[in-house]
Amino acid sequence: MRQKKELTILIKTMKEHCCPSEDLKDVKRAFDFAAASYGGQTRASGKPQIEHALAVASQLAEWKLTPEIVIAGLLHDIFEYTKVTEDDIRKKFGFKVARLITGENRLDSLKYWGKEQYAENLRRMFLAMAEDVQIVFIKFADRIDNLKTLEFLPEEKRRRLADESIEIYGPIAGRLGMGKIRQRLEDLAFRQLYPKEYAWAEGIVAEYLKDNEQLIKKIKKTVAEDAKNSGIKIVEIRSRTKSLYSLYNKLSIHERNVDKIYDIMAIRIIVEDIPKCYALLGIIHHRWKPLPRRIKDYIAQPKPNGYRSLHTNVFTGKRVMEFQIRTPEMQDEAKYGIAAHWIYKEKQINISNNIKKHTEWLKELSVIQKDLEKHAIASQAMRSVKIDLFKNRIFVFTPKGDVIELPEDATPLDFAYAVHADLGNHCKKAFVNEMPAALDKKLRSNDVIKIQKSDRPCVDKHWLKIVCTRRARKKIREALNKK
Ligand code: MN
């Protein structure tokens, strides 16, 4: 039986991730229970319901998540399609599993269209994440399997699911640092929404790989030899191609000029620890000249979603090649993001700093969500949430070198309020890269900003027109009201 075989693979995956055998028994028990409850039920695609359940659970197991989440994945549709109740699940599989399933069910797609749907969807995602971010992992796995069989659904529903995946699920996965999962969601949806463009992007990657096959091989070999000669052990070296959706977006910005894209393919090298990352970067730069301003040290200064790695682009003669250097821990984090905290491992990885980053963001989300509750779904509020979270971001620095993430149109005032409300309220003068700057100057990535404080608050009504972040606007209003 096909499902039995898939179950065996699922169990094997979990075993490889060191899942204890009592937990594996529970997973098998959950499978038997789901299979019996679904009986012969099939989906729109004609596939048995239990196969979808298995696909979702397998995906979660592949992401190395805990047995409870995998079990919840197996049972996630059970309330909708069978007579099984939450109480039954609680008794058989525990409180936690039941809660994960109810949480996931609450996220189910809405039946109406347009702006309100977008707003309502986001609101539900935030709510679920504030409650328990693990719920969202199940939703992502569910959506990935659904995107694979969209062609069996009516056109309207098909478009809605694909749109939603690109507009909402992808960016949220990205913001949670789940790079690989974001890529899956976006590429599957992209193929559904724009099959022609998808095929075009796919062709570009295939051609690139064909043209450069020998060169890539040679570069990999050279790096491996150089590293070996310097006594650096390479854990893994592989080439990765850019996701088709992000490639397509990048090509659209560059008038479809392929030569302007340096990272269609990158060589990713995993070494044992951080000092070796830097040592290897030196070795690569010794061999090939780097492109100016394209060296990124995301280890010293991680991206706000927690991403860490060294990036560099070098001239290899024929081609500019991107290298990404990181440790095994960084690799797990880059693939699974916040989900890495639930990764099933005997040895706990030290990712405390990143946990802090993630949870700060989640805290902010729950505040936004509470705000939205209060104002129902005022579309103005929604728009600024969208801008705050998903607009292109810039990264600027405090004089001490801390990274502050802001939306693209941010000004020194937004910066001041992002650092601290008090700094915002007392903002007298701003210096950008050590030069005096107007408070409404548009900041750019890598700017270093210093704020000179006045002795007393100097909030002014016209500041509301200068700022573009929610936080600044809110704090200015509060200060004005106090006055
Ligand atoms: Mn489902």
Side-chain angles (χ1 to χ4, degrees):
M1 202 169 119
R2 193 151 125 222
Q3 290 135 29
K4 282 280 177 215
K5 202 177 142 202
E6 273 168 46
L7 178 68
T8 315
I9 298 172
L10 165 67
I11 297 288
K12 199 177 144 234
T13 310
M14 294 185 78
K15 248 189 215 154
E16 275 163 19
H17 299 149
C18 314
C19 182
S21 53
E22 309 97 77
D23 289 342
L24 292 177
K25 262 184 221 148
D26 285 340
V27 173
K28 278 186 204 145
R29 193 161 59 84
F31 169 81
D32 291 337
F33 180 75
S37 309
Y38 283 132
Q41 272 193 59
T42 53
R43 293 166 64 80
S45 61
K47 245 178 31 172
Q49 196 66 255
I50 186 71
E51 266 183 40
H52 168 65
L54 258 173
V56 172
S58 304
Q59 183 73 88
L60 293 163
E62 229 174 84
W63 295 341
K64 306 183 192 177
L65 293 166
T66 58
E68 270 168 340
I69 305 180
V70 175
I71 292 172
L74 270 171
L75 301 170
H76 79 277
D77 278 330
I78 207 121
F79 302 148
E80 198 179 337
Y81 298 107
T82 73
K83 291 206 177 90
V84 176
T85 64
E86 201 183 328
D87 213 36
D88 298 333
I89 296 296
R90 216 177 286 137
K91 277 180 199 137
K92 285 189 162 61
F93 301 99
F95 186 79
K96 178 77 192 288
V97 170
R99 207 170 47 86
L100 285 172
I101 299 172
T102 344
E104 194 269 353
N105 289 177
R106 239 181 286 134
L107 282 174
D108 266 345
S109 295
L110 299 153
K111 303 284 183 276
Y112 53 94
W113 277 84
K115 256 197 205 112
E116 288 94 59
Q117 187 224 355
Y118 180 88
E120 178 62 13
N121 246 321
L122 266 185
R123 196 183 67 85
R124 288 186 185 200
M125 289 294 272
F126 295 158
L127 247 159
M129 285 194 281
E131 189 189 313
D132 187 342
V133 75
Q134 297 168 76
I135 289 168
V136 183
F137 306 155
I138 303 172
K139 192 72 211 167
F140 287 158
D142 179 45
R143 179 51 59 90
I144 285 174
D145 192 57
N146 287 338
L147 284 172
K148 288 180 191 160
T149 50
L150 276 191
E151 54 271 30
F152 300 101
L153 295 177
E155 172 68 13
E156 190 193 82
K157 193 171 180 196
R158 203 172 67 85
R159 283 205 78 84
R160 180 163 56 74
L161 291 181
D163 265 337
E164 201 178 75
S165 305
I166 282 192
E167 292 277 327
I168 298 177
Y169 288 23
I172 287 182
R175 200 57 188 71
L176 294 173
M178 308 164 89
K180 200 182 165 189
I181 294 151
R182 170 181 203 164
Q183 197 171 319
R184 283 295 277 147
L185 285 163
E186 285 179 347
D187 278 357
L188 285 165
F190 177 42
R191 195 179 62 187
Q192 290 288 341
L193 287 173
Y194 308 101
K196 259 192 227 149
E197 288 81 355
Y198 181 90
W200 176 69
E202 206 174 28
I204 285 173
V205 171
E207 201 183 302
Y208 181 97
L209 287 178
K210 207 177 109 216
D211 290 350
N212 296 289
E213 203 190 332
Q214 291 309 316
L215 178 73
I216 294 161
K217 246 190 214 160
K218 214 177 106 193
I219 291 175
K220 277 194 202 161
K221 205 176 145 218
T222 309
V223 175
E225 276 168 17
D226 284 356
K228 201 178 165 200
N229 291 337
S230 306
I232 291 175
K233 194 182 152 216
I234 286 181
V235 179
E236 192 185 330
I237 180 164
R238 65 191 308 174
S239 33
R240 77 101 182 94
T241 49
K242 202 172 179 60
S243 93
L244 295 178
Y245 182 65
S246 66
L247 174 64
Y248 178 72
N249 275 335
K250 219 168 182 179
L251 280 165
S252 309
I253 297 168
H254 292 284
E255 281 112 28
R256 301 204 168 190
N257 183 348
V258 180
D259 293 331
K260 291 223 171 106
I261 318 279
Y262 295 137
D263 62 345
I264 290 184
M265 209 215 66
I267 295 181
R268 187 171 289 158
I269 308 175
I270 297 174
V271 292
E272 283 165 319
D273 53 31
I274 292 175
K276 291 195 179 84
C277 291
Y278 289 104
L280 188 63
L281 182 75
I283 289 167
I284 290 169
H285 286 173
H286 186 64
R287 167 73 60 183
W288 298 291
K289 287 238 179 313
L291 253 75
R293 287 185 298 278
R294 306 239 356 149
I295 306 165
K296 308 252 169 69
D297 184 350
Y298 296 124
I299 293 179
Q301 265 137 358
K303 286 190 186 178
N305 68 6
Y307 178 83
R308 291 187 301 159
S309 192
L310 296 177
H311 287 197
T312 185
N313 287 262
V314 300
F315 297 101
T316 61
K318 264 198 218 149
R319 274 264 165 210
V320 171
M321 187 61 68
E322 174 160 323
F323 283 96
Q324 302 176 347
I325 309 167
R326 56 181 75 156
T327 65
E329 285 77 17
M330 291 175 199
Q331 171 68 357
D332 265 352
E333 285 170 30
K335 269 159 103 180
Y336 307 115
I338 194 168
H341 309 315
W342 283 273
I343 278 182
Y344 215 77
K345 263 201 182 149
E346 285 169 320
K347 197 176 65 180
Q348 205 47 49
I349 328 165
N350 183 14
I351 30 181
S352 51
N353 277 338
N354 284 314
I355 291 184
K356 210 174 133 232
K357 279 252 181 241
H358 284 310
T359 44
E360 263 166 28
W361 184 65
L362 284 173
K363 232 184 277 157
E364 200 181 307
L365 273 184
S366 63
V367 172
I368 291 172
Q369 169 258 315
K370 268 183 212 129
D371 267 18
L372 288 176
E373 298 267 88
K374 252 188 274 160
H375 309 291
I377 314 163
S379 56
Q380 182 56 44
M382 228 24 251
R383 208 167 300 141
S384 87
V385 171
K386 192 180 177 187
I387 289 170
D388 271 10
L389 292 176
F390 299 137
K391 215 181 158 184
N392 289 336
R393 311 297 289 184
I394 58 167
F395 306 111
V396 298
F397 297 95
T398 69
K400 278 186 192 155
D402 292 330
V403 188
I404 304 287
E405 182 199 10
L406 291 166
E408 224 167 27
D409 286 333
T411 62
L413 262 182
D414 288 300
F415 167 85
Y417 279 102
V419 174
H420 199 279
D422 196 52
L423 187 64
N425 290 336
H426 292 76
C427 179
K428 191 162 102 192
K429 263 188 193 160
F431 295 85
V432 174
N433 304 325
E434 298 185 355
M435 298 289 284
L439 291 182
D440 64 351
K441 183 186 163 71
K442 292 237 178 344
L443 298 176
R444 289 191 306 194
S445 267
N446 297 331
D447 282 345
V448 179
I449 295 116
K450 200 178 125 188
I451 301 292
Q452 203 179 80
K453 276 176 93 172
S454 65
D455 300 335
R456 55 188 66 192
C458 48
V459 184
D460 193 289
K461 220 165 117 191
H462 90 274
W463 281 12
L464 285 169
K465 288 187 193 132
I466 297 176
V467 298
C468 72
T469 52
R470 254 178 93 77
R471 182 181 158 82
R473 204 166 285 140
K474 193 174 162 214
K475 293 292 171 194
I476 293 170
R477 278 215 191 90
E478 279 172 18
L480 287 173
N481 286 341
K482 247 186 235 163
K483 253 191 187 172

